[in-house]
Each structure stands twice: as C-alpha cells, then as structure tokens.
Amino acid sequence: KAGVTQTPRYLIKTRGQQVTLSCSPISGHRSVSWYQQTPGQGLQFLFEYFSETQRNKGNFPGRFSGRQFSNSRSEMNVSTLELGDSALYLCASSLNTVQGGYTFGSGTRLTVV
Amino acid sequence: SQQGEEDPQALSIQEGENATMNCSYKTSINNLQWYRQNSGRGLVHLILIRSNEREKHSGRLRVTLDTSKKSSSLLITASRAADTASYFCASGEYGNKLVFGAGTILRVKS
C-alpha cells in the first residue's frame, strides 16, 4: 500500500512569505500529525488532526496552523516566515494512536532566506 | 524543553557487535516507541512497547521499559552496516502526541 506522501519535498521561501505543505496519509488512517525537526530543537510536535478536528497542539506560535480534509489529507500553513522556521517538516499518520505506531512521510525541507 | 533524553549521543561499533541505546522520558505515557532515521529523511517505526509491558522483541531488536524509572532501552543484536542511522525514542503521551528524545547516532563499521 502507498505510504505517507508529503509535497513538496523541498521549498525555498523568503522571510515574511507564507507557505503551505501537504500530506496524504495512508489510506484508512484518520489521524495525521505534524512535527518539526531542527538541529537545535530536535523533533517537536506541531499538531494532530483526527476526522477534520484538531485534537492537540504543540507549543508553536499562531503563525503555524493546519487543517484536515474529509479524505484525511492534511495541510499545514506557516505565515510570516522567519529564518528560524527553516526545518524538516514531517507528517505522520496512524490507524491507532494508542496501540499502534506512526508512519512518517519523507518530509518537506523548508529553507527560509 | 519537553524532550526526553537519550544516551549515548553517538555510538560506533563493529559489524556483528550489539548496540544498546537508553532513553528517559518525563511524563506518564501510553506507550514508548523507537524510530530510525537515515540521513535526515523520514522516520521509520521500529517497535512499540505499551506502558504495561516490560520487554518486547522484534527480530534483532529488544526493547525494555521501566515505568518506575521512566526509562527504556533498545538493544540491536548482531549489528550490520545497514543499521547505521539515527535512533530516536518517542514517548506516546496521552493526547495523541509523541515526545521525542534527542536521538543516538549509530555507526556500524564493516
């Protein structure tokens, strides 16, 4: 079966711009989570969606937002980009968040210049 | 930071040797998971141990969990060059989120 697909793979944006990243989960997985990975802070939880509802949110400013569609596909948006937003953004989907693991996509590498 | 801690930060061993990585976490958990990451790409799920389990095996992997000490360990037996990667523990917290450790970089020399 197809894995978690993230698009685009690479992105270069200018400070102050906004960006939208996309994630298609494994078919049948209704939970989609987003993580940010940087060399300094490591892997940090951004938010989790289930059936189009945000169930949990990490400690990120309001510039980071997301949504989930009825087909479970998810997007995350970062507005007013800052240099510190440069990171690998990873999406993960799960069938059962309590008893099962997460399947991660290959990530979108965002560079803000 | 909410991150868990892992040690060692880096580990270099010969092919065929065993590799042990340790992880500590901070809060109550549903489960403890281990992931592998190659060269900054996506994470690959290796094994999950539930909070009421103490030990779990999967192929060459053995995971232990001590909830009283809030710690876990991952043992990879008979390491191969292909095991070279970064390994992360992640505590599965209530609220459907993972809190990751800082990771251990494993290098297996052939």
Side-chain angles (χ1 to χ4, degrees), chain A residues 61-83:
Chain A
R63 300 184 297 107
F64 291 81
S65 63
R67 58 178 176 168
Q68 186 180 35
F69 302 95
S70 58
N71 61 358
S72 293
R73 190 177 71 84
S74 178
E75 289 181 346
M76 68 162 281
N77 184 278
V78 188
S79 62
T80 319
L81 284 165
E82 300 177 359
L83 295 179

Side-chain angles (χ1 to χ4, degrees), chain A residues 9 33 35 37 41-43 45 48 55-56 59 88 90 97-107 109, chain B residues 1-3 30-31 33 35 37 39-45 48 50 88 94-101:
Chain A
R9 288 294 309 279
S33 303
Y35 290 82
Q37 185 177 27
Q41 298 299 314
L43 282 150
F45 171 76
E48 189 248 357
R55 293 201 295 191
N56 201 352
N59 274 344
L88 180 66
L90 293 163
T97 56
V98 175
Q99 299 189 31
Y102 289 75
T103 302
F104 280 79
S106 296
R109 185 162 296 281
Chain B
S1 167
Q2 294 183 342
Q3 268 192 321
N30 272 322
N31 56 65
Q33 305 179 34
Y35 289 84
Q37 185 178 42
S39 301
R41 298 182 64 88
L43 297 159
V44 174
H45 179 255
L48 177 150
R50 299 175 194 172
F88 295 90
Y94 297 98
N96 307 300
K97 74 173 189 179
L98 297 176
V99 176
F100 284 88

Side-chain angles (χ1 to χ4, degrees), chain B residues 60-75:
Chain B
R60 294 185 295 114
L61 306 180
R62 173 180 165 249
V63 170
T64 61
L65 179 65
D66 186 334
T67 53
S68 66
K69 295 180 179 177
K70 291 187 167 58
S71 67
S72 175
S73 68
L74 172 69
L75 168 68

